[in-house]
Amino acid sequence: LQKSLSEIFGVDKYSRARKEVLTYMFSRPMQMALYFCTGVLDDEALFHHYALNVPFYTHFTSPIRRYADIVVHRLLSASLGARSPIKMEKEAIQKQADHCNDRKMASKRVQELSADLFFSVFVRVRP
């Protein structure tokens, strides 16, 4: 698959952009991760990470990147005793998680539409 894709990308000034768009389009059907507050879920099976096959999983990146990551850093710091506990009810944390999920989905949709537009132009102008 990789070899045939590399042939499609070509070597012109748009080859890198084609590679990014097509690679993205192939990964698009994968299920997107969602933020949630563990305190509002009764079923611990929902904490499972399918690809890593671990029963409990949390993910975060640098706290300068996304607000959800700031919240995870703060909660983790509080649970380790490195800072005072966050004075928020679990429902309020879930409400923020829902908002972050909504914004992430909207961003993903714009990205998909942009990729679709580029791909349409690419197909139209490619001999």
Side-chain angles (χ1 to χ4, degrees):
L1 179 62
Q2 182 62 35
K3 183 181 177 193
S4 62
L5 284 176
S6 294
E7 291 172 6
I8 291 172
F9 299 148
V11 291
D12 59 36
K13 65 181 180 177
Y14 298 112
S15 59
R16 181 176 175 193
R18 279 194 296 276
K19 178 180 179 182
E20 289 180 26
V21 169
L22 291 174
T23 301
Y24 170 75
M25 290 177 79
F26 286 123
S27 64
R28 198 156 94 183
M30 297 168 70
Q31 184 178 0
M32 197 158 103
L34 296 175
Y35 298 110
F36 62 90
C37 177
T38 58
V40 301
L41 298 179
D42 295 327
D43 185 4
E44 288 187 358
L46 297 172
F47 304 168
H48 181 263
H49 190 286
Y50 176 79
L52 297 176
N53 195 26
V54 292
F56 296 100
Y57 177 82
T58 189
H59 170 83
F60 55 92
T61 61
S62 168
I64 62 170
R65 190 160 171 225
R66 292 185 292 246
Y67 179 70
D69 298 318
I70 293 171
V71 173
V72 173
H73 273 255
R74 290 176 181 167
L75 291 169
L76 184 57
S77 293
S79 70
L80 295 173
R83 67 170 288 156
S84 57
I86 294 178
K87 294 174 177 35
M88 288 178 68
E89 297 294 322
K90 58 187 175 187
E91 292 79 13
I93 294 172
Q94 181 59 47
K95 186 175 180 180
Q96 288 186 347
D98 291 338
H99 178 74
C100 289
N101 289 331
D102 289 343
R103 297 295 81 214
K104 188 166 70 166
M105 292 294 278
S107 174
K108 182 176 170 64
R109 185 66 183 136
V110 169
Q111 183 180 11
E112 289 172 351
L113 291 171
S114 175
D116 290 347
L117 176 62
F118 178 86
F119 186 70
S120 298
V121 171
F122 163 69
V123 168
R124 185 174 185 197
V125 299
R126 182 154 169 105

